[in-house]
Amino acid sequence: MGNCFCGLGGGKKKKELLQCKKDLLAFIDKENCGPILVRLAWHDSGTYDQRISDFPQRGGANGAIIHEPEMSMGANNGLRKGFGYLKQFKEKYPTISWADLIQLASACSIEAMGGPKINMRYGRVDVAGPQDCVGPKSREGFGGNAGLPDAKPPFGCGAPTASQHLRNVFTKKMGFTDQEIVALSGAHTIGRAFKERSGTPVRDRRGSPRRQPI
């Protein structure tokens, strides 16, 4: 477990993170909530824009998603539940920033679901408050949601294809390679899909769209 905390050395901070990780793993196993915590972490990170150098305007994993202006963006539908899961851990470990807690919960979720232990660096700084959330239309070349990807066309960035849309979001805005885009896209297959959150159509056991939602 200790190998997952790069650059911390020893001390109180590392002990708190280790204990928080232990508590999170037990909670995730009990509640079976890993997928939504991974999504919460991704969407907190997903506002990042490599073209902007200043904090907090550049976005990224800064805990801003817990605040209403960002949580209410359409791309974040359903994530209030994931935020609610983590409140008890923030209360128990107040010295851990929201930004670190959200990313720690995601790494624990991957591990709890059978994935690898992820080496992480901690020390992320939270935004000061709602006033530091990036605006939905703040990302050049994107129509809304601070440049988070659209679930279906028409794409807010104007891309004619889904592949070009993904490259606009993850390469142009965030600096990903194609290999990293594929890995991230594949990670979206964990957990269940909900029409009211992602727009995914409800399908029957044969894979055909259902006439009525469940």
Side-chain angles (χ1 to χ4, degrees), residues 78-98:
L79 289 177
R80 201 176 305 277
K81 183 176 182 180
F83 169 44
Y85 281 143
L86 295 184
K87 286 182 178 179
Q88 61 182 293
F89 297 96
K90 180 59 176 171
E91 291 173 0
K92 185 174 181 180
Y93 302 100
T95 63
I96 300 176
S97 68
W98 268 111

Side-chain angles (χ1 to χ4, degrees), residues 9-146:
K12 182 178 178 181
K13 184 71 172 180
K14 183 174 181 178
K15 289 179 180 178
E16 286 190 346
L17 283 164
L18 286 168
Q19 185 58 50
C20 186
K21 178 181 180 180
K22 182 179 178 181
D23 291 349
L24 279 166
L25 286 170
F27 178 82
I28 293 164
D29 183 61
K30 178 183 176 182
E31 298 294 332
N32 192 28
C33 59
I36 197 171
L37 295 180
V38 173
R39 181 170 175 247
L40 180 68
W42 157 240
H43 282 234
D44 191 39
S45 307
T47 59
Y48 174 70
D49 193 331
Q50 65 175 344
R51 301 167 297 179
I52 300 172
S53 59
D54 294 336
F55 178 89
Q57 292 87 350
R58 65 173 176 259
N62 56 20
I65 198 168
I66 71 170
H67 298 296
E68 191 58 34
E70 199 164 306
M71 181 62 80
S72 295
M73 290 195 300
N76 294 332
N77 286 342
L79 289 177
R80 201 176 305 277
K81 183 176 182 180
F83 169 44
Y85 281 143
L86 295 184
K87 286 182 178 179
Q88 61 182 293
F89 297 96
K90 180 59 176 171
E91 291 173 0
K92 185 174 181 180
Y93 302 100
T95 63
I96 300 176
S97 68
W98 268 111
D100 271 350
L101 178 60
I102 290 169
Q103 299 306 317
L104 173 60
S106 177
C108 287
S109 296
I110 296 297
E111 185 176 333
M113 292 185 290
K117 293 182 179 181
I118 301 173
N119 289 331
M120 300 281 283
R121 290 189 179 276
Y122 294 94
R124 295 170 185 82
V125 176
D126 287 340
V127 296
Q131 70 277 10
D132 287 341
C133 291
V134 302
K137 298 184 181 297
S138 63
R139 295 326 191 215
E140 182 181 354
F142 296 91
N145 290 310

